[in-house]
């Protein structure tokens, strides 16, 4: 009888659990499906309104429009460049800083950590930061998007803690084998930290891919804008008609909505594609250690 | 006030600390009357896609005006921040297209830009424009900016003629007309789909925008005799919502809301969603749009309702056609003293803008290049050949440089009947516009806490319409507004008004 009871409550728990999880995943997935199907739908179907999860007829008009000029392609290439190079810089500089800070033997370690911590709580503000970037001659260069954000204080501290969990005995034995600090970092510590590196790499990469504000502030040349800036511009496309005297309507058969949706798809898919490759590292969690017995 | 002091401080700092890394190109003062091409750097909000540097249109402008142009397109989503940073770091172009707001005003008042008022008379096109355009831009009685001209009386009623004809309705004049219209459309199922899903109008959240004269409630109230944002009563400047016609218009909306004749979620609806409702053929009167957009409304509707018919009518009231005057510009150019080094250079720059309004340039900016973007019809009018191409290659310039699209000196445009009707409404409106008496006035109290005051009144209006407060409650809110600084704003505006009148 007891077993039956347990069975029953178990089943109830599972049912509730699964339905809740299904609901949550639907809530996450449906908007995305909606966006994708809107981007392929015909203007007539979109004009009717309502929730559209599968268009009755696929059209590529919106995509054709987006790629009718080289702006989108160029901005995606720029974003890829910033993301790849920027993430490399992030990972290198963050681990270079985190590694010595993880050593109790480093002199002034507390002071340095405190200084890092302060930047998490207070920022310099927009205009002073702009002056710093300008003083380094980075205005209107891609460096302005990669260098000022090279180290995130939060990621640095988490990575430092991660490094601290690596047993000292491992490091010591490497030392005995004749390894110097750089060797230890590259041959022992970093390989052991792949889950952490993958996770932070993804955090940084998504950050670079989503760069919008800094790009607008530091870039003067419209041809150097990354994809999010272009995307924002397109999304705003049909929203500023009030200040517009246009008495002529574009006769082509797409709607601003479908173009918006298509550009969201185009700007999101590349970074979404990165996730599956890092999934296995994610499963282990961000804050968990790597050394597991 | 804080930002003004801040900007002055920062610009001072910049000069002192000689952070002049990027000033190299600006330092050659070619001020004399010479024939070297004029260097024009222009920063402007980006419209659509940024055209390529040295595009065909740019080259044509450079050739005609003997200049070398460098456009800096700033994405509109972050324009204000970028503007503030450019002003604070003194990195400004020779001509800067900005819009009116508190930071702009304090930058102008702190003397960052050249005054151009006295110079305008030397330029035939600039001085030929209606004085109202310039009057609306004056700061402390002086003109610092060159407008991107926009029509002043743009309001018009865009409506579904097929519905109106089918139900035997006429365009509204009195508030009772508006009520009957909304009731009939909501209840008689004009689209004959058997569902109770059509609205006389679909209200959206900017219906009572505190600043824009183009907001729906202001348009409605003005047609009924209310002032445009700020009016006069017995020599005193008063706010629109203190007048009876405005209260009556609010009461109309309240009644419509209570009887569920307008959308119940109006206080949160985005403008784009309201447009979609219209496009889907669910709405009888399109609000917050302009007369010239009638043809666009027709095209948008066609996609979902192929046999829908759209028409345009002027806003009418018991005393005839009365519409709020809009500022008459879509932003304006200012000329920073830090980049335009001498008055001679300023004069050449103004000459550049003057030339842009010559017939040749006007045609280029508003119609494009003949054979490529437009063709000439037999009766000597321009007809667009490839609008997609025009929107891509010419529109960014048209929307960023001074021009008159339909009433300008360019080649006349071949208009459809609906377009021509829309433009006629706009032209007729101009004779009957109600100006905002406080448009160019400054009130210290308003610049300090205008935002708060506006929000207070906006919220009270929405509450009143939704029936959460009654008329007494509304009057109490107005009283609260007056005590919170409204009375002071009125006092300051009135003082300035009587000073100007002398």
């Amino acid at each position: 009888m007891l077993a039956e009871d347990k069975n029953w409550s178990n089943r109830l728990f599972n049912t509730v659990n699964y339905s809740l999880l299904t609901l949550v995943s639907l809530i996450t997935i449906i908007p995305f499906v909606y966006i994708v199907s809107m981007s392929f739908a015909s203007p007539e179907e979109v004009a009717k309104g309502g929730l559209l999860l599968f268009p009755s007829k696929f059209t590529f008009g919106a995509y054709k429009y987006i790629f009718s000029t080289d702006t989108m392609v160029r901005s995606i290439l720029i974003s890829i460049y910033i993301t790849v190079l920027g993430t490399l810089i992030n990972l290198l500089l963050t681990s270079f800083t985190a590694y010595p800070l993880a050593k109790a033997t480093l002199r002034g370690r507390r002071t340095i950590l405190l200084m890092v911590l302060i930047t998490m709580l207070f920022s310099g503000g927009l205009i002073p930061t702009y002056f710093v970037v300008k003083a380094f001659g980075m205005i209107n260069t891609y460096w302005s998007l990669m260098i000022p954000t090279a180290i995130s204080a939060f990621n640095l501290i988490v990575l430092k803690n991660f490094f601290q969990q690596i047993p000292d005995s491992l490091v010591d034995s490497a030392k005995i084998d004749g390894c110097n600090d750089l060797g230890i970092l590259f041959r022992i510590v970093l390989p052991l930290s792949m889950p952490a590196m993958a996770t932070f790499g993804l955090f940084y990469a998504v950050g670079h891919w989503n760069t919008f504000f800094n790009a607008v502030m530091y870039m003067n040349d419209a041809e150097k804008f990354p994809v999010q800036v272009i995307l924002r511009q397109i999304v705003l496309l049909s929203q500023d008609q009030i200040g517009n005297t246009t008495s002529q309507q574009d006769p082509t058969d797409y709607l601003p909505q479908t173009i918006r949706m298509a550009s969201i798809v185009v700007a999101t898919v590349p970074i979404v594609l990165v996730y599956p490759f890092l999934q296995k590292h994610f499963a282990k969690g961000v804050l968990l250690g790597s050394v597991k017995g | 006030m804080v930002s003004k002091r801040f900007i002055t401080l920062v610009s001072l700092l910049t000069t002192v600390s000689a952070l002049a890394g990027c000033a190299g190109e600006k330092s050659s003062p070619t001020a004399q009357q010479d024939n070297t091409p004029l260097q024009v750097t222009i920063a402007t909000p980006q419209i659509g896609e940024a055209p390529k540097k040295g595009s065909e249109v740019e080259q044509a402008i450079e050739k005609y005006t003997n200049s070398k142009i460098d456009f800096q397109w700033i994405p509109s989503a972050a324009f204000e921040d970028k503007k503030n940073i450019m002003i604070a770091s003194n990195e400004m172009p020779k001509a800067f297209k900005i819009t009116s707001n508190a930071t702009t005003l304090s930058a102008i008042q702190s003397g960052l830009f050249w005054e151009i008022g006295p110079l305008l008379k030397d330029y035939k096109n600039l001085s030929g424009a209606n004085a109202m355009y310039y009057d609306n831009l004056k700061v402390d009685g002086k003109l610092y900016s060159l407008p991107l001209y926009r029509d002043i009386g743009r309001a018009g009623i865009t409506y579904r003629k097929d519905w109106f004809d089918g139900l035997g309705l006429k365009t509204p004049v009195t508030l009772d007309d508006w009520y009957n219209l909304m009731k009939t459309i909501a209840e008689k199922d004009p689209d004959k789909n058997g569902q109770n899903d059509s609205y006389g109008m679909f209200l959206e959240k900017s219906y009572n925008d505190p600043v824009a004269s183009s907001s729906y409630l202001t348009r409605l109230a003005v047609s009924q005799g209310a002032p445009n944002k700020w009016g006069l009563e017995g020599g005193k400047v008063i706010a629109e919502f203190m007048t009876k016609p405005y209260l009556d218009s609010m009461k109309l909306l309240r009644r419509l809301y209570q009887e569920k004749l307008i959308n119940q979620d109006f206080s949160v609806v985005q403008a784009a969603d309201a447009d979609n409702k219209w496009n889907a053929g669910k709405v009888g009167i399109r609000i917050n749009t302009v007369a010239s957009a009638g043809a666009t409304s027709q095209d948008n509707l066609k996609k979902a309702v192929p046999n829908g018919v759209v028409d345009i009518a002027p806003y009418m009231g018991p005393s005839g056609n009365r519409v709020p005057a809009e500022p008459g510009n879509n932003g304006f150019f200012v000329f920073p003293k830090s980049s335009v080094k001498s008055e001679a250079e300023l004069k050449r720059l103004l000459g550049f803008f003057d030339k842009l309004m010559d017939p040749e340039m006007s045609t280029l900016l508003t119609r494009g290049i003949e054979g490529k973007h437009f063709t000439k019809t037999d009766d000597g009018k321009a007809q667009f050949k490839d609008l997609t191409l025009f929107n891509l290659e010419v529109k960014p310039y048209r929307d960023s440089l001074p021009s008159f699209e339909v009433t300008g000196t360019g080649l006349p445009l071949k208009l459809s009947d609906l377009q021509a009707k829309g433009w006629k409404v706009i032209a007729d409106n101009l004779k009957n516009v109600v100006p905002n008496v406080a448009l160019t006035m400054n009130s210290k109290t308003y610049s300090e806490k205008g935002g708060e005051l506006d929000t207070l009144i906006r919220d009270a209006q929405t509450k009143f319409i939704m029936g959460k407060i009654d008329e007494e409650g509304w009057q109490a809110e107005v009283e609260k507004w007056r005590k919170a600084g409204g009375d002071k704003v009125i006092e300051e505006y009135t003082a300035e008004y009587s000073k100007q009148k002398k």
Side-chain angles (χ1 to χ4, degrees), chain A residues 18-35 51 53:
Chain A
Y18 275 105
S19 6
L20 273 179
L21 283 176
T22 316
L23 196 74
V24 169
S25 34
L26 279 182
I27 289 172
T28 4
I29 290 170
I30 286 179
F32 203 74
V33 175
Y34 175 65
I35 286 174
L51 187 66
L53 289 183

Side-chain angles (χ1 to χ4, degrees), chain A residues 43-44 47-49 65-66 68-72 74 126-127 130-131 134-135 139 212-213 215-223 225 229-230 232-233 236-255 257 260, chain B residues 6 10 14 19 46-50 52-53 72-78 81-82 84-85 88-89 91 150-151 154 214 272 275-276 280 286 288 292 295-296 299-300 303-304 330 384 387-388 391-392 395 398-399 405-406 413-415 419 423:
Chain A
E44 293 79 26
K48 273 188 203 123
Y65 175 82
I66 290 179
S68 64
T69 62
D70 56 2
T71 310
M72 201 71 180
R74 188 184 58 223
L126 181 59
I127 291 169
Y130 182 84
F131 279 124
K134 189 180 159 190
I139 296 295
F212 167 76
F213 194 73
V216 178
M217 289 304 125
Y218 302 141
M219 294 297 186
N220 293 331
D221 194 342
E223 295 192 3
F225 285 144
V229 179
I230 307 292
R232 194 77 75 99
Q233 196 64 32
L236 286 173
L237 186 79
S238 68
Q239 281 175 5
D240 52 0
Q241 275 179 348
I242 288 182
N244 196 345
T245 52
T246 330
S247 54
Q248 301 278 335
Q249 172 74 358
D250 209 311
T252 47
D253 63 345
Y254 54 76
L255 281 179
Q257 282 122 300
R260 271 193 247 165
Chain B
F6 174 69
V10 174
T14 348
L19 274 166
Q46 185 181 340
I47 292 156
E49 206 167 288
K52 288 217 159 41
K53 279 203 158 66
Q72 181 183 348
W73 304 96
I74 302 169
S76 32
D81 290 306
K82 181 81 178 183
N84 293 341
I85 238 179
S89 65
E91 271 184 4
R150 284 293 178 271
D151 299 286
R154 299 192 304 155
S214 56
D275 291 345
N276 287 344
R286 189 177 187 189
N288 276 5
S292 62
T296 320
D299 287 348
N300 289 342
K303 284 171 187 141
N330 182 27
F384 284 114
L387 257 182
T388 316
N391 283 343
L392 206 61
K395 188 171 177 281
R398 181 198 70 188
D399 289 354
E405 194 189 358
V406 170
L413 189 65
K414 188 152 186 73
L415 295 172
Q419 286 168 339
W423 283 103

Side-chain angles (χ1 to χ4, degrees), chain A residues 197-237:
Chain A
M197 297 311 264
T199 314
F200 290 123
L202 189 70
F203 285 176
Y204 280 129
V206 172
H208 283 301
W209 188 264
N210 288 339
T211 293
F212 167 76
F213 194 73
N214 283 352
V216 178
M217 289 304 125
Y218 302 141
M219 294 297 186
N220 293 331
D221 194 342
E223 295 192 3
K224 289 185 178 171
F225 285 144
V227 71
Q228 297 297 336
V229 179
I230 307 292
L231 177 65
R232 194 77 75 99
Q233 196 64 32
I234 291 175
V235 170
L236 286 173
L237 186 79

